[in-house]
Amino acid sequence: MSDHGLLSGTRTLLYKEMLRFWKVSFQTVAAPVLTAVLYLLIFGHVLENHVKVYDNVGYTSFLIPGLVMMSVLQNAFANSSSSLIQSKISGNLVFLLVSPLSHWAWFVAYVGASVVRGVVVGAGVMLVTIWFAPLSLAEPAWVVVFAVVGAAMMGALGLLAGLWAEKFDQIAAFQNFIIMPMTFLSGVFYSVKSLPGFWYGASHLNPFFYMIDGFRRGFFGASDVSPWTSLAVAGGSLVVVCALCLHLLRIGYKIRH
């Protein structure tokens, strides 16, 4: 198959994956935005006058970037994992298997659509929550970098979960016992500097912490660790997950055998 044909096939699969979540955008975009707003209203109202993290930054303002990045990560994962497991269970994955698309085409399409959904949901959360507290962009480049790197890593991780899982229950377990705990323990609702010794150290083993901390750096110009350290950890995690994902796609793990 020519390079033009491969590129056309990749674009087609990417378009199909984007169309899949956009056709049910009320569920895939609007619902996560509403969930983030509810978190903001509850935690912001309860803790606004009790928690102070950075100088001249109110708690609600501190919370917004965390909620945005949490939404980006969770929805990027949900997009690729749910799409692949749905195709496996319904049986329509066979149409992709008989096509001449390479494992790279699968990877680019699934992860690319996950990045788009994650960023769209994150932008939606930002547009709605920004009315609740003042927010500035001190170093906007970090916002873009960590949003894309985080969404790509979670899209690839979702693809791994979709390859491994054989039913929706396994995807739900992966999300409930791995993704959700790592997300909630990554500093979305607090600064890790406020944690006791053991949990402070444990937080620094969580790659989600670095993605959220680096993303928050773009808004306030302040962070718990250097944004370059965060980028190194997030980028390293992205490379490892993508390499494993590409390997499993290449050998057809649980999709060709």
Side-chain angles (χ1 to χ4, degrees), residues 107 111 152-153 156-157 160 237-247:
F107 177 82
V111 175
M153 194 197 89
L157 190 61
L160 281 178
S237 300
L238 173 64
V239 170
V240 170
V241 173
C242 288
L244 179 58
C245 190
L246 283 165
H247 172 68

Side-chain angles (χ1 to χ4, degrees), residues 1-188:
M1 191 174 184
S2 67
D3 291 343
H4 176 74
L6 286 172
L7 186 60
S8 177
T10 305
R11 282 200 306 263
T12 302
L13 183 56
L14 175 61
Y15 175 75
K16 173 256 184 187
E17 287 300 308
M18 291 173 59
L19 188 63
R20 188 192 71 86
F21 83 78
W22 192 250
K23 292 285 283 186
V24 288
S25 57
F26 192 77
Q27 174 187 344
T28 57
V29 179
V33 170
L34 176 60
T35 300
V37 171
L38 292 175
Y39 278 128
L40 181 69
L41 292 175
I42 295 169
F43 283 91
H45 175 71
V46 172
L47 299 175
E48 176 63 36
N49 297 320
H50 301 280
V51 178
K52 188 172 181 63
V53 184
Y54 304 134
D55 293 335
N56 303 317
V57 177
Y59 178 72
T60 303
S61 297
F62 171 84
L63 184 58
I64 290 174
L67 290 174
V68 171
M69 193 59 174
M70 181 179 75
S71 301
V72 171
L73 298 179
Q74 290 182 346
N75 283 276
F77 174 85
N79 196 73
S80 53
S81 60
S82 63
S83 177
L84 187 56
I85 192 64
Q86 190 175 38
S87 294
K88 288 169 74 173
I89 291 175
S90 65
N92 62 32
L93 190 65
V94 66
F95 296 112
L96 286 180
L97 292 173
V98 299
S99 70
L101 293 176
S102 69
H103 60 285
W104 274 102
W106 284 50
F107 177 82
V108 170
Y110 277 97
V111 175
S114 296
V115 171
V116 172
R117 176 175 166 183
V119 171
V120 167
V121 172
V125 173
M126 176 69 70
L127 289 174
V128 174
T129 57
I130 201 171
W131 299 98
F132 292 89
L135 205 62
S136 60
L137 283 172
E139 301 173 17
W142 290 123
V143 173
V144 176
V145 168
F146 281 101
V148 173
V149 169
M153 194 197 89
M154 294 306 290
L157 190 61
L159 193 50
L160 281 178
L163 289 169
W164 163 77
E166 297 175 354
K167 52 187 178 180
F168 283 109
D169 288 351
Q170 291 175 315
I171 289 291
F174 196 100
Q175 191 152 16
N176 291 333
F177 291 100
I178 298 178
I179 303 302
M180 289 291 285
M182 290 181 69
T183 303
F184 277 88
L185 295 175
S186 61
V188 171

